Each structure stands twice: as C-alpha cells, then as structure tokens.
C-alpha cells in the first residue's frame, strides 16, 4: 500500500497523515504550496519533507506524476469559506434583540469557490487517480448534500454541498473503487462553544441520506473521522459504499473499535443520489 493524502495540510488531513505514519504506512502527502508543506511539518514533525509533493495547480496533468506508484487516494481538499468579520456585529445585535438564527456571512476568495475546488478540483484528482493506476479512492465529503437550502449551501452563494455531491457522483461513475464518507460537523468547531474533541472516546454512528442531519448528535471529532478514514484502507466492506458518519456524546454508548464492525451493523451503506437534481440546480 502507498497512500496519497490530498489536503494533507488541512485539519483532518494532518491527523490522517500522522496516523498513517504512526502505523508505518507509506504515505505521500500532497499540498498546494510550500507554506502548506511547512504547516504540515509543524503539525506532524514525523513527516519527511522529501516525501511531501507540492502541486500548485490541482489539474490532472500536474497531479498524475504526484500520484504515480500509489495504490490509494484519500481526498481531503475543500474550499474554505471566509468570514465577513463585519457581519458579526449583526449577530451580536440580533442576540441582544433576542432574535434567533442570525448567522454571520461568508465569502469565497476568487478562484477558490466550491465549483472550482470541490467540483473541478476533485474531478481532476479522480481523473488523475485513474490515469496513475490508483485502485481505491476515499473521498471525505460532508453531510447535508440532500438539503438544497442547508446553511452551508447558502454560504457565500457557494452551494458547496451540491458541488461536493457532483464530485461524489463523478467518482461513483469513474470505475475506480470508492468510499464516500459524509461526516457531520467536525470537532473542534470554531467559535466559543467548546465540546470535547478527543478521539477514541465515542460511539460512532453510520447513516444514509442525511438521516442524522437534524438529530441532537450530528457532530464527530476530526480524530475519529481520521481513524475511520485510515481503517478504510484495509476494510473490504467499505469498497463502493457511501454513508454518513456522526458520533454520540462522550460517555454514551459503546466506544468505536473497528470499521468492519461498525459497517456490519449499519442498515445501509448506499446513499440515494437520485435527489436532489444537481444538473438543474447547478445550471441555474
Ligand atoms: N468543518 C466542518 O464542520 C465539516 C463538516 C463536514 C464535512 N467537512 C469536510 O471535511 C473535510 C475536512 O475538513 P477540515 O475542516 O479538516 O478541512 P480544512 O482544514 O478546511 O482543510 C482543507 C484542505 O483543502 C486544501 N485546499 C483548499 N483549497 C484548495 C485548492 N484550491 N486546491 C487544493 N487544495 C486546497 C487546504 O489547503 P491549505 O492548507 O493549503 O489551505 C487544506 O489542506 C472537508 O472536505 C470539509 O469540507 C467539514
């Protein structure tokens, strides 16, 4: 096994790389800049900078050489919404006036919109994986893709979850082996609300079609998501499956042990991708 991790400098990407190295797995992290390479090295000192590929433009032609000789691709790239700081005044004012549901505003930097990063950028990675002879792609996406009006879709008018879903469908049709994970909200969350985010302390729960989207338990520590991602590399049950992943609160239920056991207990491992109608929604 030789594993490519893209988005390796991101918050979950760093943990996946760290866990692979701890398990002596051959990993080739891929990042988009020298600054991100330095960020990864600072977060995971065991990383050998000589093994980190810097690919500035996530296009098939530049990705294929980086992917060559690898067996698995873990995709952890994502567009990153930026906060409109002045919108926080509205949030504070709304709270003072007793209004509920007032949210801050976000935007995407030019050229870094979800269509570019989550759709085109991931499509290029999938095409490159195919060209480089990669066997199995593990795509970390997000819960919420069935809900056109989900807050994340309205953020910066980016329709991020819909573009992510388009990439998921592309992967499923690619002929490559795939595993698509839709995690709930990742812990730690930004902002003042502090919830424990230690890994290996919670029961994990698998679902399909956003069944946990509005449940009380709809988050998961990045540490646990990274552990599941790493176990996907050796779990045959996860091949050609797509599912949502959340956790119970610490102290409730039975702490996660193995992915094979978790998936065996799931009632379905196949989300319904027939809805929403992405072609008409994204063409609009
Ligand atoms: N945050 C949540 O609550 C939540 C919930 C559900 C699902 N998810 C999804 O879970 C995954 C992991 O989330 P995370 O918060 O750990 O990620 P993150 O910290 O935001 O990392 C995103 C990664 O994508 C890279 N990236 C951004 N734009 C890129 C581009 N144009 N080309 C190539 N790489 C690019 C970033 O590189 P740099 O380091 O160079 O910036 C970074 O490594 C993401 O797909 C996210 O959407 C998140």
């Amino acid at each position: 096994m030789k594993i490519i991790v893209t988005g390796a400098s991101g918050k979950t990407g760093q943990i996946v790389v760290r866990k692979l190295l701890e398990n002596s797995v051959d990993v080739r992290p891929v990042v988009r800049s020298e600054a991100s390479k330095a960020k990864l090295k600072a977060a995971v000192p065991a990383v050998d900078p000589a093994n980190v590929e810097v690919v500035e433009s996530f296009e098939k032609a530049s990705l294929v050489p980086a992917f060559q000789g690898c067996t698995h691709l873990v995709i952890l790239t994502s567009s990153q919404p930026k906060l409109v700081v002045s919108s926080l005044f509205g949030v504070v004012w709304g709270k003072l006036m007793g209004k509920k549901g007032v949210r801050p505003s976000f935007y995407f930097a030019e050229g870094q919109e979800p269509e570019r990063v989550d759709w085109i950028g991931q499509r290029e990675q999938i095409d490159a994986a195919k060209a480089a002879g990669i066997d199995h792609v593990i795509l970390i996406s997000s819960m919420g893709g069935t809900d056109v009006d989900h807050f994340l879709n309205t953020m910066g008018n980016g329709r991020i979850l819909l573009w992510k879903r388009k990439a998921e469908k592309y992967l499923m049709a690619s002929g490559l082996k795939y595993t698509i994970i839709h995690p709930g909200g990742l812990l730690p969350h930004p902002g003042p609300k502090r919830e424990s985010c230690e890994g290996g302390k919670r029961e994990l729960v698998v679902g399909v079609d956003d069944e946990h989207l509005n449940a009380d338990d709809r988050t998961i520590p990045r540490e646990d998501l990274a552990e599941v991602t790493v176990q996907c590399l050796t779990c045959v049950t996860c091949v050609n499956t797509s599912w949502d992943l959340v956790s119970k609160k610490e102290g409730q239920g039975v702490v996660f042990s193995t992915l094979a056991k978790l998936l065996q207990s799931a009632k379905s491992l196949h989300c319904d991708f027939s809805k929403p109608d992405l072609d008409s929604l994204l063409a609009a």
Side-chain angles (χ1 to χ4, degrees):
M1 270 202 309
K2 185 162 178 120
I3 320 299
I4 292 281
V5 179
T6 61
S9 53
K11 293 182 280 301
T12 310
Q14 293 171 4
I15 307 171
V16 169
V17 170
R18 189 194 76 216
K19 282 180 175 282
L20 290 172
L21 290 173
E22 282 168 359
N23 286 298
S24 304
V25 178
D26 201 352
V27 54
R28 186 184 293 165
V30 174
V31 296
R32 60 176 169 153
S33 67
E34 289 294 336
S36 300
K37 182 172 169 175
K39 184 166 81 170
L40 173 61
K41 175 69 184 162
V44 189
V47 164
D48 177 357
N51 285 338
V52 180
E53 291 278 346
V54 178
V55 181
E56 282 176 16
S57 149
F58 267 51
E59 286 166 5
K60 180 182 166 188
S62 30
L63 289 165
V64 171
F67 288 5
Q68 216 79 54
C70 291
T71 54
H72 295 68
L73 165 65
V74 175
I75 301 181
L76 271 156
T77 52
S78 177
S79 55
Q80 295 162 314
K82 294 181 184 301
L83 177 71
V84 179
V85 178
S86 58
S87 69
L88 288 177
F89 293 113
V91 176
V92 174
W93 181 250
K95 280 214 162 124
L96 289 173
M97 301 307 286
K99 282 192 194 164
K100 283 198 173 146
V102 183
R103 294 189 188 258
S105 307
F106 293 87
Y107 70 99
F108 293 94
E110 202 181 332
Q112 299 299 316
E113 301 86 357
E115 179 176 5
R116 181 73 200 84
V117 180
D118 298 291
W119 161 232
I120 300 171
Q122 293 194 346
R123 183 190 69 197
E124 297 290 306
Q125 293 182 59
I126 293 160
D127 286 347
K130 221 170 159 175
I134 280 179
D135 183 47
H136 183 184
V137 178
I138 295 126
L139 173 58
I140 312 306
S141 185
S142 177
M143 215 162 75
T146 63
D147 182 358
V148 177
D149 300 319
H150 192 284
F151 170 64
L152 294 176
N153 279 322
T154 62
M155 236 175 21
N157 284 328
R159 293 181 289 187
I160 183 169
L161 300 179
L162 301 186
W163 290 114
K164 280 183 187 288
R165 202 163 170 88
K166 191 168 166 84
E168 293 166 36
K169 289 179 82 172
Y170 190 79
L171 172 59
M172 291 168 68
S174 70
L176 290 160
K177 288 183 196 157
Y178 67 85
T179 304
I180 296 166
I181 306 179
H182 298 139
L186 300 184
L187 301 175
H189 265 316
K193 196 175 162 203
R194 285 279 154 234
E195 198 175 334
S196 163
C197 52
E198 251 188 278
K201 297 265 167 143
R202 296 174 178 235
E203 175 165 342
L204 303 188
V205 182
V206 164
V208 287
D209 303 331
D210 286 340
E211 65 187 280
H212 298 286
L213 193 59
N214 297 311
D216 283 345
D217 294 332
R218 51 176 189 256
T219 59
I220 177 167
R222 284 183 172 85
E223 285 280 346
D224 287 329
L225 171 61
E227 178 59 30
V228 167
T229 303
V230 168
Q231 291 198 26
C232 280
L233 301 167
T234 49
C235 175
V236 286
T237 317
C238 80
V239 172
N240 295 346
T241 62
S242 56
W243 27 277
D244 308 341
L245 185 67
V246 295
S247 68
K248 292 193 178 170
K249 291 184 184 57
E250 241 183 84
Q252 291 178 359
V254 180
V255 173
F256 170 76
S257 56
T258 70
L259 181 60
K261 206 167 151 191
L262 177 67
L263 297 186
Q264 272 155 21
S265 66
K267 58 182 187 297
S268 170
L269 293 174
H270 302 281
C271 291
D272 175 5
F273 281 85
S274 63
K275 292 176 288 192
D277 179 359
L278 295 181
D279 289 339
S280 59
L281 286 165
L282 293 172

